Amino acid sequence: MEVWYGAEQVPASLGAPGDAGTVVTIGIFDGVHRGHQAILTRVVERARQMARPDGERPLAVAITFDPHPVLVHRPEARLPMIASLADRLAALSATGLDAVLVVHYTLEFADQSPEEFVRTWLEGLLGARMVVVGDDVRFGRGNSGDAALLEAICRADGLGVEILDDVRSPSGRRWSSTWVRELLEAGDMGGAAEVLGRAHRLRGTVVHGQRRGRELGFPTANLDAASAGVVPPDGVYAGWLVRSPGTIALAGLRAGAPHEERLPAAISIGTNPTFDDVPQRTVEAHVLGRADLDLYGEVVAIELVRLLRPMLAFDSLEPLLVQMRQDVLDTAHVLAVPIPGPIRPEDVTAG
């Protein structure tokens, strides 16, 4: 999948005479949940159905926005993204899209009329032959464009248009980013994974922490929770630490691809109440059985599979160590991986 960061990276040949053009959808796609996936899959299907006798077909393209429009219109809002841009692109790639255009969202961009947006970006820039969107689509100045207006513009300009009804879960609730956020805030990682179609990921740079874990035989990779994304409640989770080259991820590496190294991990989220020297929330991942990982400065993803227990304060070191060992055993059980032996502090070689 190609990624175009701005209009200047879009091939000039799109929409030229004789070009097959594109089938386009638009959206923020925060989380790329099952509802998004249904729309994106339909875009890919329509592009394939529109293949010409010479074998050429339109490109299946999605337009997405960064930063989130809410953060531009209301800078005071606190709205961490469900998925980082890298993980959003990876999930978009997994749907079979040919390309994604990442538009830098600004107040100037937002001031376009709905007609200007369609004719400048979809028709003029991308050479759209068809537009596929959900029935809740909004676009243009003040979100004044809706599905009915989009259909009218496309019909007037000779573009195909397909408006998809809400895609709903078996329970009847509409798949949505709001639902994902509710589940994450409740610590329901299984429920969030059901809506997303995959485990929830946090992403960030590994930073130096208190170095206490290595001294106890539980070395951890530490991420700043404030910049990691939507972080669920404090507690200990079973999950995975995922390593992948950042440049490949930004180019749309599919989740679970061979380039990714997935390591089973017990993950602690919180301020560690047993000690009083951790002023802010952190995300700490202990990779099971590994004492040699040196991840400082590396961008990693943390996948959260299940909440094991709430964060607890212990009166002394001994019960804490017993509980941390139990966390390792519980993590291995949840992830169905071999149980590692204990790590001696003197065996930790990570920097």
Side-chain angles (χ1 to χ4, degrees):
M1 184 185 80
E2 293 186 61
V3 180
W4 304 319
Y5 296 95
E8 65 280 0
Q9 293 189 7
V10 176
S13 59
L14 281 183
D19 181 70
T22 61
V23 176
V24 181
T25 189
I26 58 175
I28 301 165
F29 304 116
D30 189 17
V32 195
H33 54 66
R34 291 185 186 273
H36 296 142
Q37 292 166 31
I39 294 171
L40 296 160
T41 298
R42 185 58 178 163
V43 171
V44 173
E45 290 175 349
R46 295 297 284 158
R48 291 172 178 167
Q49 291 169 359
M50 293 171 65
R52 302 185 309 199
D54 62 5
E56 293 295 317
R57 65 164 178 82
L59 297 179
V61 178
I63 298 179
T64 191
F65 307 98
D66 186 64
H68 195 295
V70 167
L71 300 177
V72 174
H73 292 283
R74 294 191 288 116
E76 75 284 358
R78 183 184 178 278
L79 186 71
M81 296 294 286
I82 294 171
S84 67
L85 179 58
D87 289 317
R88 198 186 339 164
L89 291 172
L92 288 168
S93 176
T95 66
L97 289 171
D98 296 304
V100 170
L101 170 59
V102 181
V103 174
H104 179 60
Y105 192 89
T106 64
L107 291 176
E108 181 181 5
F109 175 85
D111 197 42
Q112 299 174 95
S113 70
E115 292 81 2
E116 286 177 309
F117 172 72
V118 172
R119 289 168 179 152
T120 300
W121 292 84
L122 306 190
E123 298 181 36
L125 180 65
L126 296 177
R129 301 289 186 262
M130 169 169 278
V131 182
V132 179
V133 294
D135 60 6
D136 62 344
V137 66
R138 307 294 298 194
F139 63 100
R141 185 182 302 120
N143 274 341
S144 56
D146 58 11
L149 180 56
L150 177 63
E151 188 166 15
I153 297 170
C154 289
R155 297 297 186 199
D157 292 1
L159 275 65
V161 60
E162 185 170 355
I163 310 297
L164 302 180
D165 293 334
D166 281 345
V167 181
R168 297 183 178 274
S169 71
S171 68
R173 181 168 179 176
R174 172 178 171 270
W175 302 115
S176 69
S177 300
T178 297
W179 192 5
V180 175
R181 291 176 183 278
E182 291 174 1
L183 292 165
L184 293 177
E185 290 171 2
D188 185 353
M189 308 316 299
E194 176 61 24
V195 181
L196 289 169
R198 63 191 180 282
H200 175 55
R201 279 189 173 189
L202 306 175
R203 182 177 291 273
T205 302
V206 178
V207 298
H208 288 278
Q210 301 295 320
R211 298 173 66 88
R212 185 174 289 114
R214 60 177 291 132
E215 297 170 0
L216 300 177
F218 296 90
T220 60
N222 300 272
L223 279 66
D224 181 0
S227 61
V230 178
V231 181
D234 290 1
V236 175
Y237 296 76
W240 303 88
L241 185 146
V242 185
R243 305 176 71 186
S244 61
T247 54
I248 294 177
L250 284 173
L253 179 67
R254 297 190 181 201
H259 297 84
E260 292 188 335
E261 181 183 13
R262 297 167 56 79
L263 304 169
I267 301 149
S268 173
I269 296 176
T271 58
N272 200 336
T274 299
F275 305 96
D276 297 325
D277 55 356
V278 184
Q280 70 276 345
R281 298 181 79 207
T282 60
V283 178
E284 302 181 49
H286 168 65
V287 176
L288 305 192
R290 296 292 296 271
D292 60 328
L293 288 173
D294 193 344
L295 303 174
Y296 293 124
E298 185 173 328
V299 177
V300 302
I302 302 293
E303 287 187 354
L304 300 168
V305 176
R306 184 184 301 176
L307 174 62
L308 298 178
R309 63 172 176 86
M311 190 62 70
L312 303 172
F314 295 89
D315 295 331
S316 63
L317 193 58
E318 187 58 33
L320 171 62
L321 290 173
V322 171
Q323 182 59 63
M324 292 172 74
R325 179 58 186 170
Q326 186 60 51
D327 294 337
V328 168
L329 299 180
D330 292 341
T331 297
H333 175 73
V334 168
L335 302 179
V337 298
I339 296 174
I343 295 174
R344 299 183 304 170
E346 58 268 28
D347 292 335
V348 177
T349 60

